[in-house]
Amino acid sequence: MTNFNITAKTSLNTIATRINELTNLMALSGLEIGALLAAAKERFQTADLFLDWAEKETGYKKTQVYRFLQIDRDFGGKEWAAEMSTGALVALIGSSEAVKKVVETIVKSGETVTAGDVKDIKKEEAGDSLPEANTPPKPEVKPLTEKELTKALDKANKAAEVEKQRHSVQIEKAKVAKDKAIEEQRKALTDLEKAQAVITKLAAENETLKARIAELEALANPVGEVVEELAADDLPWNDDEVNTSVQLAEFEKTYNLLLLDNPRKIVANTEEAAKQAGIEMEGKKFNFDGELLTGAELRALIG
């Protein structure tokens, strides 16, 4: 129970001032400090903001603040608890209802209950007032001092900061890996587009060659038709001229077909096409229409 009137309009500065007054007076003020901190906590959206305010305005660390809040939750509004010291109330936190009832009875009888008394009552209630035979007594666990609590809290904060930095490094690595994957995907798409363009170009060139081959095949028929027409009309004509024209047409057709399959074998393609067209070779030259022509000269006749 507190004599300090706390309302929704009580400012945070007023609460902080009152807490500091109680601390400075070193009175039995654990209950009132707990109630004040509980009221202040409701003003903040997050626990971190509340704890920052408490440390800045009152000097209490996280552990101390939660200790006072626990006192308020367990003993707030209980008049008998107001007669106890803060240390005794801290020792009573988390005790069973039976222990709390014993302490309440003792306080109401007018006796003072210390933190040590609370520990003894808890041992009595647990049946540990006397050690068992051949069993060494359990060492007393002393509560941490404020300095020790502060050191432990600082250590925990440093560990949390290290963990935070480690996660930051992992996040940065993941981001770099993601950016690299995106860049590789873009490059793959670019390479695919280039490959598709090459395929499209080759397909167009192939169609052009097919058209040229069709023209060459069509060219052979008119030659035969001219020969037949001349024979039918019994007109004078030169057998050699007809033969050379046929040979040249056959040479062009075969050469272009071979060139389509093996574009780099110009010499071999020339010799093979000449052979299939019936053009004989003398040494390295071709005997065509009574003249010895080089491969380049022979190919020049077909453009």
Side-chain angles (χ1 to χ4, degrees):
M1 184 176 68
T2 175
N3 295 324
F4 186 69
N5 187 21
I6 306 170
T7 67
K9 294 183 179 181
T10 303
S11 68
L12 290 173
N13 287 333
T14 301
I15 293 175
T17 300
R18 181 57 177 162
I19 291 174
N20 289 321
E21 288 175 352
L22 293 170
T23 301
N24 293 333
L25 291 174
M26 297 298 292
L28 304 180
S29 53
L31 278 172
E32 188 166 358
I33 292 176
L36 289 167
L37 287 172
K41 185 174 182 292
E42 298 300 322
R43 312 290 181 86
F44 295 91
Q45 293 182 350
T46 66
D48 288 338
L49 291 175
F50 165 63
L51 292 172
D52 289 342
W53 171 84
E55 183 174 357
K56 179 180 178 182
E57 298 296 337
T58 69
Y60 288 139
K61 301 292 185 180
K62 177 180 179 180
T63 304
Q64 296 169 299
V65 171
Y66 280 125
R67 184 187 299 162
F68 283 122
L69 291 176
Q70 187 65 49
I71 289 175
D72 178 65
R73 281 194 294 270
D74 287 4
F75 310 111
K78 297 178 180 178
E79 293 185 4
W80 61 268
E83 304 299 325
M84 296 177 62
S85 67
T86 301
L89 290 175
V90 171
L92 193 58
I93 291 174
S95 299
S96 66
E97 290 301 321
V99 171
K100 292 178 181 178
K101 189 64 178 176
V102 171
V103 171
E104 179 183 355
T105 301
I106 295 174
V107 172
K108 286 182 177 180
S109 69
E111 295 186 32
T112 300
V113 177
T114 66
D117 295 333
V118 173
K119 292 177 183 178
D120 291 338
I121 294 170
K122 290 168 70 174
K123 287 183 179 180
E124 184 73 25
E125 192 267 345
D128 293 332
S129 56
L130 294 175
E132 296 180 2
N134 300 324
T135 302
K138 296 181 180 180
E140 181 179 357
V141 179
K142 296 182 179 180
L144 296 177
T145 65
E146 181 177 346
K147 183 177 180 180
E148 291 172 334
L149 288 172
T150 301
K151 184 177 180 180
L153 182 60
D154 290 341
K155 183 177 180 181
N157 288 335
K158 289 179 181 179
E161 183 63 26
V162 171
E163 188 68 14
K164 179 181 178 181
Q165 292 177 358
R166 185 176 70 83
H167 283 300
S168 297
V169 171
Q170 291 177 339
I171 291 172
E172 185 62 26
K173 287 183 178 179
K175 182 177 181 299
V176 171
K178 177 183 177 182
D179 293 341
K180 183 178 179 181
I182 292 174
E183 184 62 28
E184 290 178 350
Q185 184 180 25
R186 289 175 179 171
K187 185 178 182 300
L189 290 174
T190 301
D191 292 342
L192 178 60
E193 291 175 355
K194 290 181 179 179
Q196 290 175 338
V198 171
I199 292 172
T200 302
K201 181 180 178 182
L202 291 176
E205 292 176 354
N206 188 41
E207 291 299 322
T208 302
L209 287 175
K210 286 181 179 180
R212 180 59 178 162
I213 292 171
E215 291 176 1
L216 293 174
E217 290 177 345
L219 183 64
N221 293 330
V223 173
E225 292 175 359
V226 169
V227 173
E228 291 177 359
E229 183 178 347
L230 291 174
D233 294 339
D234 197 24
L235 295 175
W237 48 279
N238 192 322
D239 289 335
D240 292 337
E241 291 181 358
V242 174
N243 288 336
T244 55
S245 297
V246 172
Q247 284 180 323
L248 188 60
E250 182 65 24
F251 171 78
E252 182 177 10
K253 173 185 175 182
T254 305
Y255 178 79
N256 281 291
L257 288 172
L258 294 172
L259 189 65
L260 182 63
D261 292 333
N262 299 292
R264 297 191 179 191
K265 296 183 179 181
I266 298 175
V267 175
N269 291 341
T270 301
E271 292 177 355
E272 180 63 22
K275 179 180 178 181
Q276 293 190 26
I279 302 174
E280 298 179 355
M281 293 187 65
E282 294 185 14
K284 294 292 184 179
K285 293 188 177 183
F286 300 88
N287 187 351
F288 180 74
D289 197 18
E291 295 182 23
L292 292 178
L293 305 177
T294 64
E297 291 172 339
L298 181 60
R299 291 192 298 273
L301 296 177
I302 63 174

